[in-house]
Amino acid sequence: ARAAPIVWPDWAAIEAVVDLDGFAGANDAFAVLREAVTSAKPAEIDAQRAHATLSWKFLIGFCAKKPLYKSQVQQVLQAMLDVPSFEAALADNPELINKAEASLPEEVLETLGLSSGGGGGGGGAAASTSPRQDSIPQVPTGTLPASHVLQPAASEDSEYHRRRPPADSAGDVAPSRATAASSAPSSSSPLVRKYLPFLQRASEIEAGNPVVAHYCRVHAVEQLVLAKVRGETDSESYALLMRTLEEAEGKKSALGIESAAGREQMQDFA
């Protein structure tokens, strides 16, 4: 008998990763989801059916961003496909199927019973009631990520350290240590003290560089989400996460971040 109960991920944190395309730093969130799904019985997975579509969105985006995890992702996908409610959540969502076909490695598509580049046409799940058809074996759209303009701590597990500009590069928007120290709030929360300076910097540069300001907020949200996954969040940092997430989501559509102009602005600033 299993000694410990299944620990499911914080679904709000998973949703934040999906909404902000924060898959580059979502290793911990994926590990929690993988452990839960692969350890659970079908009935236990079915009990999470309210989060089925979110789970598919997260796994498709994560695998598209990090194909080296494809074998582990396939384990999770197979377990989810064995649960009718989860299988239906994918089969009944053409948008998800199209995204999977456009972005996932071929081996992963075989697990799903899909074909690459299907585009919802005659092949893959769009032509059947089941995405798997008994076949067993986002990515961000080119916008420059916050890694090019922010400088997270060296201990953080992300792509930022390999790609970030030098500390003295022109246009650096990360708060300097002196600025961070002088502007740090008198909060009792270490996470608030660490990431609020990025949000203050976002407010300072928003008039002239709204896209860069948005990515300052995205960076703070991503790191607060990871802290939540690790169980480090307190009430103050959680409140800051939700406020910042709401603000970032509210301003994203008006910024044209997905457009060529938005990408060019980020590249020019970096």
Side-chain angles (χ1 to χ4, degrees):
R2 188 171 59 223
I6 299 295
V7 178
W8 293 96
D10 184 311
W11 294 112
I14 295 290
E15 186 172 14
V17 170
V18 171
D19 288 345
L20 294 172
D21 293 324
F23 301 105
N27 292 13
D28 290 344
F30 171 70
V32 174
L33 180 60
R34 174 176 174 267
E35 177 64 25
V37 171
T38 57
S39 300
K41 298 176 181 178
E44 292 172 316
I45 299 176
D46 181 65
Q48 301 295 317
R49 58 186 174 275
H51 308 294
T53 299
L54 177 60
S55 299
W56 288 117
K57 289 180 179 179
F58 174 81
L59 290 168
I60 291 170
F62 181 81
C63 191
K65 183 71 174 180
K66 298 197 169 186
L68 290 178
Y69 283 79
K70 62 187 178 184
S71 295
Q72 296 181 44
V73 170
Q74 283 176 278
Q75 295 175 353
V76 183
L77 297 179
Q78 188 60 68
M80 288 167 52
L81 287 170
D82 288 337
V83 179
S85 59
F86 273 71
E87 186 179 28
L90 177 61
D92 297 339
N93 193 322
E95 182 179 352
L96 268 180
I97 293 171
N98 290 342
K99 184 173 182 179
E101 289 177 333
S103 61
L104 294 182
E106 191 64 38
E107 302 94 320
V108 180
L109 290 176
E110 289 176 1
T111 300
L112 296 173
L114 302 175
S115 59
S116 60
S128 72
T129 58
S130 168
R132 181 171 40 170
Q133 300 177 349
D134 296 324
S135 172
I136 308 296
Q138 89 99 215
V139 185
T141 59
T143 53
L144 198 64
S147 56
H148 288 262
V149 293
L150 298 176
Q151 299 180 46
S155 61
E156 291 168 0
D157 178 22
S158 72
E159 295 181 355
Y160 296 160
H161 329 30
R162 298 192 297 273
R163 303 174 61 186
R164 70 187 183 193
D168 59 351
S169 61
D172 183 14
V173 301
S176 67
R177 293 183 181 181
T179 300
S182 63
S183 61
S186 58
S187 170
S188 61
S189 169
L191 289 172
V192 171
R193 292 198 301 270
K194 184 174 182 179
Y195 293 112
L196 189 57
F198 285 92
L199 303 179
Q200 293 169 332
R201 185 67 173 130
S203 298
E204 293 170 2
I205 66 175
E206 186 151 31
N209 289 288
V211 173
V212 179
H214 171 76
Y215 276 107
C216 288
R217 296 187 181 97
V218 168
H219 172 68
V221 167
E222 288 179 346
Q223 299 309 312
L224 289 168
V225 165
L226 291 177
K228 185 166 180 58
V229 170
R230 294 191 295 264
E232 300 170 358
T233 303
D234 51 50
S235 59
E236 281 190 77
S237 60
Y238 181 75
L240 180 64
L241 166 61
M242 299 312 294
R243 287 198 307 271
T244 307
L245 176 60
E246 183 177 358
E247 182 176 8
E249 288 181 333
K251 294 181 177 181
K252 180 179 178 180
S253 61
L255 291 176
I257 292 174
E258 303 298 330
S259 67
R263 292 194 290 273
E264 290 174 2
Q265 182 176 350
M266 285 299 300
Q267 290 169 352
D268 291 345
F269 194 93

